[in-house]
Amino acid sequence: MIRSIATVSIGGALDEKLKTIAAAGFDAVEIFENDFTCFDGSARDVARMCGDLGLGICALQPFRDFEGMPEPQRKQAFRRAEKKFDLMQELGADLLLVCSNVSPISLGGIDRAADDFRELGERAGARGLRVGFEALAWGRHVNDYRDAWEIVRRANHPSIGLILDSFHTLAPGFPVAPITAIPADRIFLVQLADAPQLDLDVLSWSRHFRCFPGQGSLPIGDFMHAIEATGYNGPLSLEIFNDQFRAQSTKEVAIDGMRSLLLMGSEDAKKNAVPALRSRSKVSDVAFVEFAVDQGHAVAFAKLLRELGFRLTGRHRSKGVERWSQGAINLLINSSENSFARSHYVTHGSGVCAIALDVEDVTTMMSRADALQATTFRQPVGPGEMTIPAIRGVGGSLLYFLEPGSPNWDVDFVAVASDGDCALLNHIDHISQSMRFEDMLSWEQFYTALFDVARSPQLEITDPLGLVKSQVLQNRNGSLRLVLNASTASQTMSSRFLSEFFGAGVQHIAFACDDIFKAVSAMRAAGATFLNIPDNYYDDIDSRYELDPDLLRSMKENGILYDRDDEGEFFQIYTHAFDERFFFEIVERRRYRGFGAPNAGIRLAAQTREARSPTMPRIG
């Protein structure tokens, strides 16, 4: 497979784009005409750069408003084409992408268009060049790839072929089955783009919301099956128009694009992939979560954990790291100097610096991460201590990988006899991370590429100061649940976290329990305090659900929130923010699959009030 990307897909000047594309591992590029027009250099300069970078040029595009023009515009269209042929020969590109005409003066008729392309094919063939015809979904007379193919078929010229674009095929809802009947040698290029399902006109949808395969909701897999059925083995090229991507690092966008191509394909194609890419890694548990704090905050944080039922169970043999445990939950407090945690604290303040996951095969996990261009992390370890494989995650934090039953605690930690484990909490229910809106698709792809997790439908959460996009990723048994949050509004809690934490990261962690009322009662008795919920909320809950009066009273007294779905019930409560940065959630699920989304606005309003009130509790 020749993996390509159109230069329009990433930001920057043309020379910068080419370097970024090559560094991400692409084999070829489509040169977007405007990128070259704006470039302060010659076509031969571009050809030389591509050669030095090991990039082929699979197409020059787009050539607009060609077929079906009346005179004198028809003559001018051929003159423009000859100029582009001159440019292509200097670039060393042999394919010109012609998109279907949108001009209001263009004339319809398949035979008329076929005649135009036949003549263009003669001119291209005389120079050893080719022309590909693409149906734009908003083309004036040709907006369906089936009509474009009929024009190419009737043109009947070896230098004229078809260009198939997944967006222009799938967004309008055209069937993909007819693709299978197109001869492979008549398909000159396949372009790929996904998109979220939106109620927009197709032009606006295309210009602002295209994304990489797997990041949207279009049936890209069906499109690719049809392409593969033809026997096509030419370039697969990404062509993306997206406002989010333009605000991202061009390096990260290019890497995301390469990942999408590496992960795409039929089951047969995946069987032939490198072993690490044949199946995503299964996560069996969250092994531990590591918090970076300074020594001044370590005592206060330990006090909070003790109030929540955690007990000190171990100390690291050579570093200032404590292990706090409860049920199957392990939290590390790292206040050591000269460590990654210290640098994370200096950059972000108190917060999660690492998450460790139990995976079935660490070697395969790291091989997959390497193949998908994740950034590997290494740090010095003391004599006899374990080296735990790790990669960079959200906000520069770490993802560690351990195999179930790893001897980490016995090797690296000295056990501390605890004063009993009341086991109020069982396990980590979910981890919520906040990030820039522009980066959300990238991190969503990162997780779904590495781990066997599925996306739930994206939600919009109402914050008092704007909307927050929320995306849940989780595996089948719920041992890994990640909630990604982002907002374009600058004053939402998610956005304020980014400014106060100086970047993306874990904003809160939810712990699961069997009896939230028992757990909260014990926590309050130990000194824990929780977010204040207004009485109006409970009046509303009573009107909606007609709960048992004793249950409602207990919820109200304890500040516990409630939700219900077709299968079960959900109870949740929140701590105050620690060091004004992150907080914890306690949940009890009773056959409930969601995350309490209807309560998010209540929680956010209460946290906003608390953040603005000088009399509200402060932890840390």
Side-chain angles (χ1 to χ4, degrees), residues 91-169:
L91 285 170
D94 77 331
L95 177 63
L96 178 67
L97 182 155
V98 177
C99 50
S100 58
N101 208 320
V102 299
S103 171
I105 67 170
S106 62
L107 306 173
I110 286 179
D111 285 331
R112 177 184 286 108
D115 290 343
D116 288 343
F117 275 105
R118 188 179 305 110
E119 181 176 341
L120 190 62
E122 284 293 309
R123 299 187 185 205
R127 297 176 180 239
L129 303 176
R130 301 177 301 151
V131 173
F133 185 39
E134 174 189 38
L136 294 179
W138 53 88
R140 181 169 175 79
H141 301 290
V142 179
N143 58 19
D144 186 327
Y145 77 88
R146 291 168 293 185
D147 292 332
W149 163 235
E150 182 60 19
I151 289 169
V152 168
R153 191 187 69 80
R154 293 190 193 185
N156 193 27
H157 195 285
S159 294
I160 300 297
L162 182 66
I163 291 179
L164 291 169
D165 183 301
S166 62
F167 181 86
H168 292 299
T169 302

Side-chain angles (χ1 to χ4, degrees), residues 596-614:
N599 294 325
I602 302 297
R603 185 258 300 175
L604 288 165
Q607 288 174 320
T608 299
R609 282 195 304 273
E610 184 170 288
R612 292 180 169 183
S613 173

Side-chain angles (χ1 to χ4, degrees), residues 289-585:
V289 177
E290 183 175 355
F291 292 81
V293 297
D294 67 353
Q295 294 179 357
H297 286 93
V299 173
F301 189 45
K303 177 177 180 294
L304 171 61
L305 295 185
R306 187 173 293 278
E307 291 169 349
L308 297 180
F310 288 89
R311 295 294 180 263
L312 176 64
T313 56
R315 289 190 174 92
H316 198 278
R317 295 182 185 277
S318 64
K319 303 173 184 175
V321 183
E322 294 179 342
R323 175 193 180 193
W324 289 74
S325 307
Q326 181 174 186
I329 308 167
N330 289 288
L331 307 180
L332 302 184
I333 302 178
N334 192 334
S335 58
S336 59
E337 302 289 338
N338 302 318
S339 65
F340 168 77
R342 178 61 184 174
S343 64
H344 192 277
Y345 173 80
V346 170
T347 303
H348 300 283
S350 302
V352 172
C353 64
I355 299 169
L357 302 175
D358 283 338
V359 297
E360 58 186 2
D361 186 330
V362 172
T363 300
T364 300
M365 177 72 253
M366 291 302 292
S367 296
R368 184 177 184 86
D370 184 62
L372 294 171
Q373 300 189 46
T375 303
T376 303
F377 175 83
R378 293 179 177 84
Q379 64 181 336
V381 297
E385 295 175 357
M386 286 185 61
T387 298
I388 306 178
I391 61 173
R392 292 280 188 173
V394 171
S397 62
L398 300 181
L399 282 175
Y400 286 113
F401 301 117
L402 294 164
E403 292 182 359
S406 167
N408 174 48
W409 304 124
D410 297 328
V411 173
D412 289 353
F413 285 78
V414 176
V416 173
S418 68
D419 53 356
D421 184 357
C422 55
L424 301 173
L425 306 174
N426 301 328
H427 60 272
I428 292 176
D429 184 86
H430 62 273
I431 298 173
S432 177
Q433 296 179 314
S434 288
M435 58 202 58
R436 294 194 317 156
F437 180 76
E438 294 83 1
D439 298 331
M440 194 169 181
L441 277 176
S442 180
W443 286 113
E444 180 184 329
Q445 185 204 50
F446 173 85
Y447 283 124
T448 56
L450 290 175
F451 307 124
D452 186 15
V453 293
R455 296 182 298 174
S456 298
Q458 191 177 94
L459 298 174
E460 284 190 346
I461 306 299
T462 302
D463 183 288
L465 299 173
L467 289 178
V468 177
K469 299 280 188 180
S470 187
Q471 178 67 65
V472 173
L473 308 172
Q474 59 183 324
N475 60 7
R476 288 182 178 83
N477 66 4
S479 59
L480 179 65
R481 296 187 181 104
L482 300 168
V483 182
L484 312 185
N485 295 319
S487 177
T488 56
S490 62
Q491 293 302 309
T492 61
M493 187 171 183
S494 177
S495 295
R496 294 199 309 272
F497 172 82
L498 298 186
S499 60
E500 293 165 4
F501 192 66
F502 297 104
V506 173
Q507 188 168 20
H508 88 263
I509 298 174
F511 302 124
C513 66
D514 292 331
D515 186 337
I516 195 169
F517 297 96
K518 176 183 175 182
V520 170
S521 177
M523 291 171 183
R524 288 189 183 277
T529 59
F530 296 92
L531 194 64
N532 295 318
I533 304 300
D535 291 347
N536 295 335
Y537 168 78
Y538 296 99
D539 293 339
D540 179 63
I541 286 292
D542 187 32
S543 69
R544 283 193 285 146
Y545 295 119
E546 295 186 68
L547 296 175
D548 177 88
D550 290 338
L551 175 62
L552 184 66
R553 181 171 56 255
S554 183
M555 287 168 48
K556 185 175 181 179
E557 290 173 353
N558 284 286
I560 293 172
L561 302 167
Y562 177 84
D563 191 33
R564 178 189 295 175
D565 61 17
D566 293 339
E567 298 185 27
E569 298 175 296
F570 188 62
F571 300 87
Q572 57 189 151
I573 191 171
Y574 297 90
T575 69
H576 304 291
F578 181 84
D579 197 17
E580 302 183 30
R581 283 175 169 79
F582 63 88
F583 57 94
F584 295 117
E585 177 185 4

